[in-house]
């Protein structure tokens, strides 16, 4: 009986999925890249300047003048000092925050970053560090006229050591390129997210990005071994290390993991990279209730244990929105209220297959898993991941979207989606939930045709109050940036916030680094 149920799932995978999941691994990657770039530069109307719409009082910074621009041209070369066509650097990925910077600087190395910051600090010119500009909280763009310090040219993978598994990389290296270099020697970067074709590893570290592998590899506080950062006064702080174990003094590198460019500019880092798994299997399954989702998660941990590498949730509306917007996506199953994407990564194909088969057949027997696909073929694995990766893009393709990334206790994980549907009613076009179930990280999304003050008031600060009452976190992975700075107190107490302010003052007494972000 168990075996029969499982065979049905497998047959489904080879009949329907083979036909539907037509594209190759390589094509799938190209498409992610193209989609991200297109979205970031498409021609939808520009929002008002954030300084005006949000009544931001400009800080007491110097105004940029011609002498400054000449100085930077001498320092970096004319080609790397941009004063025209700056819209792409001024507007955030979600097209919600828009600054008015008149200058983008593109240093090539740590020494140039240091010289730029030293000068800006002396002149009291405000600076926003920018990586791939895929951040979702308005942290990577200017709010007023801050100089954009782009890390784009610090893009080299300096070394990947097959023996130790340690890679040294410059901060501006695109995550996908870094991963490719690691894969050349059989390693992989222990971080994967939908923006991988555009985001920088330095941006990832500065936001402490989570993504879809935290359940397996933990977050970046564990895998980043060392950091080089340039402080606001230009000082280079060398915290590089090639060892997992180093208990010499305060663990200062952690201050730069997740501080969103407010304490220093990350220029280089070392990272522990695991070996690429020999066998990767993905199950995409349909379930009837959130209760069944939780039971399936517990069963995944029990049955798959050490090979479980991802456990993602997508609700029906989130999936359907992506499928409607992107016709090239083909879901192997449809018509269920909830979907889970469960991935295993191990070193023994036969053993892993046996484990995932058992997990699925037990779930089907209990009536928790209703239907789905299991595949270990790399092309099909990619195609299933593509569905998950396109979910956030589906929600912003033709709509404005209020996005939340909250940590919630698992038992209360999904309740807020229903509550929010009720609160928003027909004002919203889609209210949905998806995210990293394995890390208790829900992405609550509320879409509407365009920014709508009525919905905004129904959603915020309610979502933060709700999260705080459950002792959750108002930002599980995207950070605080500009959009959430007024809500930090829902997750941090006043004493902690005061210490954060003191630390900011110590590292950046003139407040030139990423002002208007994180702390209000
Ligand atoms: P940016 O957006 O350029 O900057 C982000 C912040 O870091 C800013 O405050 C900026 O000032 C600062 N910063 C950037 N580089 C440096 C540096 N070198 N030194 C100091 N400060 C710096 N996030 C997740 O956590 N998990 C996900 O699964 C995930 N999926 C995503 C999927 C899509 C489709 C998109 C568009 C975004 C997603 N994100 C996700 C959000 C985003 O990709 C991450 O926050 C990412 O880490 C940002 O990297 P970036 O290089 O684009 O940084
Ligand atoms: C994701 O998990 O897809 C990202 O964090 C982006 C999002 O929240 O939409
Ligand atoms: Zn996420």
């Amino acid at each position: 009986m168990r075996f029969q149920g499982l065979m049905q799932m497998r047959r489904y995978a080879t009949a329907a999925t083979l036909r539907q999941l037509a594209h190759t691994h390589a094509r799938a990657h190209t498409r992610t890249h193209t989609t991200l770039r297109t979205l970031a530069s498409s021609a939808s109307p520009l929002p008002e300047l954030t300084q005006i719409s949000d009544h931001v009082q400009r800080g007491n910074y110097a105004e940029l003048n011609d002498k400054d621009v000449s100085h930077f041209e001498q320092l970096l070369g004319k080609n790397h000092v941009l004063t025209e066509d700056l819209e792409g650097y001024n507007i955030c990925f979600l097209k919600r925050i828009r600054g008015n910077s008149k200058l983008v600087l593109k240093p090539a190395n740590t020494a140039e970053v240091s010289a730029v910051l030293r000068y800006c600090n002396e002149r009291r010119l405000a600076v926003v560090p920018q990586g791939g500009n895929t951040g979702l909280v308005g942290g990577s763009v200017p709010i007023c006229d801050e100089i954009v310090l782009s890390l784009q040219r610090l893009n080299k993978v300096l070394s990947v050591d097959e023996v130790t598994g340690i890679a040294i990389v410059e901060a501006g290296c695109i995550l996908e390129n870094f991963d490719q270099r690691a894969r050349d020697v059989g390693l992989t970067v222990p971080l994967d997210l939908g923006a991988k074709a555009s985001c920088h590893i330095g941006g990832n570290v500065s936001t402490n990005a989570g993504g879809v592998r935290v359940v397996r590899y933990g977050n970046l506080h564990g895998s980043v071994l060392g950091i080089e950062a340039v402080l606001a006064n230009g000082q280079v702080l060398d915290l590089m290390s090639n060892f997992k174990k180093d208990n010499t003094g305060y663990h200062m590198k952690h201050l730069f993991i997740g501080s969103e460019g407010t304490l220093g500019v990350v220029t280089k880092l070392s990272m522990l990279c695991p070996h690429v798994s020999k066998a990767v299997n993905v199950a995409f399954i349909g379930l009837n209730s959130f209760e069944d989702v939780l039971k399936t998660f517990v069963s995944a941990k029990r049955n798959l244990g050490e090979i479980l590498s991802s456990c993602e949730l997508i609700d029906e509306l989130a999936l359907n929105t992506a499928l409607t917007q992107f016709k090239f996506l083909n879901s192997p199953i449809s018509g269920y209220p909830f979907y889970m994407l469960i991935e295993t990564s191990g070193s023994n194909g036969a053993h892993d297959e046996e484990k995932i088969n058992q997990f699925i057949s037990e779930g089907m027997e209990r009536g928790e898993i209703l239907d789905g696909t299991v595949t270990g073929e790399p092309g099909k694995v990619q195609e299933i991941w593509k569905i998950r990766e396109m979910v956030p893009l589906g929600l912003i393709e033709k709509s404005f979207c209020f996005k939340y990334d909250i940590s919630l206790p698992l038992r209360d994980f999904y309740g807020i989606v229903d509550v929010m549907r009720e609160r928003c009613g027909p004002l919203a076009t889609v209210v949905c939930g998806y995210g990293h179930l394995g890390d208790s990280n829900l992405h609550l999304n509320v879409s509407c045709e365009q920014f709508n003050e009525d919905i905004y008031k129904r959603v915020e600060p309610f979502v933060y109050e709700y999260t705080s009452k459950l002792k959750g976190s108002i930002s599980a992975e995207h950070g605080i940036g500009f959009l959430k700075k007024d809500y930090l107190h829902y997750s941090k107490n006043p004493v902690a916030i005061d210490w954060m302010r003191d630390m900011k003052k110590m590292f950046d007494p003139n407040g030139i680094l990423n002002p208007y972000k994180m702390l209000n």
Side-chain angles (χ1 to χ4, degrees):
M1 173 61 190
R2 181 182 297 174
F3 184 67
Q4 212 175 10
L6 185 61
M7 286 308 284
Q8 272 163 15
M9 285 195 67
R10 284 269 171 204
R11 252 205 313 277
Y12 189 81
T14 43
T17 352
L18 257 181
R19 242 180 299 116
Q20 291 169 343
L21 305 182
H23 301 280
T24 62
H25 182 142
R27 276 190 198 146
H29 268 265
T30 314
R31 199 165 48 223
T32 310
H33 198 101
T34 314
T35 314
L36 268 174
R37 296 271 182 225
T38 313
L39 274 168
S41 61
S42 77
S44 62
L46 293 177
E48 194 174 9
L49 290 174
T50 300
Q51 186 182 359
I52 297 169
S53 61
D54 288 51
H55 314 288
V56 178
Q57 172 85 46
R58 187 180 181 279
N60 192 18
Y61 302 106
E63 303 271 354
L64 186 77
N65 62 34
D66 290 347
K67 246 175 89 183
D68 299 322
V69 177
S70 304
H71 174 82
F72 291 126
E73 284 177 347
Q74 269 193 339
L75 199 64
L76 309 178
K78 275 195 172 186
N79 288 347
H80 309 300
V81 176
L82 313 187
T83 52
E84 283 170 8
D85 296 327
L86 306 187
E87 204 52 62
Y89 299 90
N90 268 312
I91 190 154
C92 79
F93 185 85
L94 295 174
K95 293 213 163 76
R96 179 150 177 202
I97 302 301
R98 184 170 157 236
N100 193 19
S101 178
K102 302 282 188 265
L103 187 67
V104 174
L105 300 177
K106 295 189 175 182
N109 52 46
T110 305
E112 288 187 358
V113 173
S114 166
V116 165
L117 287 184
R118 195 177 321 116
Y119 181 86
C120 290
N121 194 44
E122 278 162 16
R123 278 274 294 129
R124 305 287 194 274
L125 290 165
V127 176
V128 52
Q130 190 175 87
N133 198 12
T134 66
L136 298 173
V137 289
S140 52
V141 289
I143 299 302
C144 298
D145 56 352
E146 301 88 283
I147 293 172
V148 175
L149 180 65
S150 166
L151 277 297
Q152 264 171 32
R153 288 176 69 221
L154 278 82
N155 58 6
K156 290 187 279 302
V157 178
L158 299 173
S159 62
V160 185
D161 187 328
E162 204 179 337
V163 176
T164 60
I166 295 167
I168 300 179
V169 61
E170 290 183 336
C173 184
I174 288 178
L175 175 60
E176 195 169 60
N177 298 346
F178 180 22
D179 189 56
Q180 195 48 58
R181 268 294 303 279
R183 280 176 188 268
D184 290 345
V185 297
L187 302 173
T188 182
V189 177
L191 168 76
D192 188 8
L193 60 155
K196 59 183 162 250
S198 297
C199 63
H200 294 182
I201 190 65
N204 301 146
V205 167
S206 303
T207 53
N208 189 23
V212 296
R213 304 258 190 272
V214 175
V215 74
R216 174 63 165 271
Y217 299 118
N219 67 25
L220 291 173
H221 285 283
S223 37
V224 173
L225 300 184
I227 280 182
E228 176 189 85
V230 181
L231 303 181
N233 64 6
Q235 220 172 23
V236 179
L237 186 56
D238 182 347
L239 303 168
M240 291 296 283
S241 169
N242 281 350
F243 295 96
K244 258 203 237 180
K245 301 183 77 170
D246 174 10
N247 274 354
T248 52
Y250 300 137
H251 291 212
M252 287 170 68
K253 72 174 181 200
H254 294 294
L255 284 177
F256 297 92
I257 303 176
S259 53
E260 302 181 50
T262 61
L263 298 183
V265 175
V266 176
T267 43
K268 193 163 73 178
L269 55 111
S270 53
M271 182 171 278
L272 192 59
C273 296
H275 280 266
V276 173
S277 298
K278 285 185 192 151
V280 175
N281 281 290
V282 164
F284 190 69
I285 55 182
L287 307 96
N288 240 344
S289 66
F290 186 68
E291 213 185 311
D292 286 341
V293 168
L294 284 188
K295 286 180 185 159
T296 304
F297 175 48
V298 173
S299 165
K301 285 194 289 182
R302 189 184 305 120
N303 284 293
L304 305 174
E306 74 292 351
I307 59 169
L308 182 66
S309 53
S310 234
C311 185
E312 297 286 308
L313 173 77
I314 310 175
D315 75 8
E316 188 173 21
L317 269 177
L319 180 74
N320 289 349
T321 307
L323 298 181
T324 307
Q325 298 302 336
F326 307 116
K327 297 294 178 207
F328 60 82
L329 293 176
N330 281 303
S331 177
I333 50 173
S334 60
Y336 297 97
F338 295 97
Y339 300 85
M340 288 175 82
L341 191 164
I342 293 173
E343 186 192 75
T344 62
S345 305
S347 54
N348 182 328
H351 164 269
D352 294 359
E353 204 173 307
E354 194 184 318
K355 280 188 143 193
I356 198 163
N357 285 352
Q358 179 169 344
F359 155 71
I360 283 174
S361 57
E362 281 182 10
M364 288 182 85
E365 237 175 45
R366 287 192 301 267
E368 291 155 13
I369 297 175
L370 299 179
D371 198 356
T373 292
V374 186
T375 180
E377 285 182 41
K380 287 192 233 157
V381 166
Q382 278 298 319
E383 286 299 315
I384 287 178
W385 268 114
K386 183 66 39 198
I387 297 170
R388 167 63 182 88
E389 285 171 2
M390 296 309 284
V391 164
L393 301 179
L395 290 156
I396 58 170
E397 177 73 352
K398 292 197 183 103
S399 307
F400 180 88
C401 190
F402 295 97
K403 298 182 71 65
Y404 302 94
D405 77 300
I406 48 188
S407 282
L408 288 172
L410 274 179
R411 283 194 182 78
D412 298 304
F413 192 76
Y414 194 76
I416 189 162
V417 181
D418 293 327
V419 171
M420 203 52 87
R421 273 186 195 134
E422 184 88 0
R423 280 180 75 81
C424 293
L427 282 174
T429 45
V430 178
V431 178
C432 67
Y434 56 91
H436 316 292
L437 181 87
D439 314 322
S440 294
N441 173 189
L442 174 74
H443 292 310
L444 167 71
N445 283 247
V446 179
S447 283
C448 44
E449 270 158 32
Q450 52 202 13
F451 180 88
N452 177 325
E453 199 69 35
D454 280 356
I455 300 194
Y456 184 40
K457 285 192 187 131
R458 287 184 196 211
V459 180
E460 293 187 28
F462 176 82
V463 61
Y464 299 122
E465 286 163 2
Y466 185 102
T467 304
S468 172
K469 274 187 199 140
L470 289 168
K471 307 244 177 295
S473 168
I474 65 153
S475 172
E477 58 174 14
H478 296 161
I480 298 297
F482 178 76
L483 286 174
K484 296 184 204 155
K485 70 179 170 30
D486 294 337
Y487 306 108
L488 186 61
H489 64 277
Y490 284 104
S491 282
K492 285 275 175 295
N493 66 44
V495 178
I497 293 179
D498 280 351
W499 273 101
M500 284 173 68
R501 274 190 219 291
D502 286 351
M503 281 161 63
K504 168 72 179 170
K505 269 189 216 133
M506 194 172 75
F507 277 87
D508 178 16
N510 297 325
I512 63 157
L513 273 180
N514 220 358
Y516 322 106
K517 315 284 170 61
M518 181 101 68
L519 293 158
N520 60 11

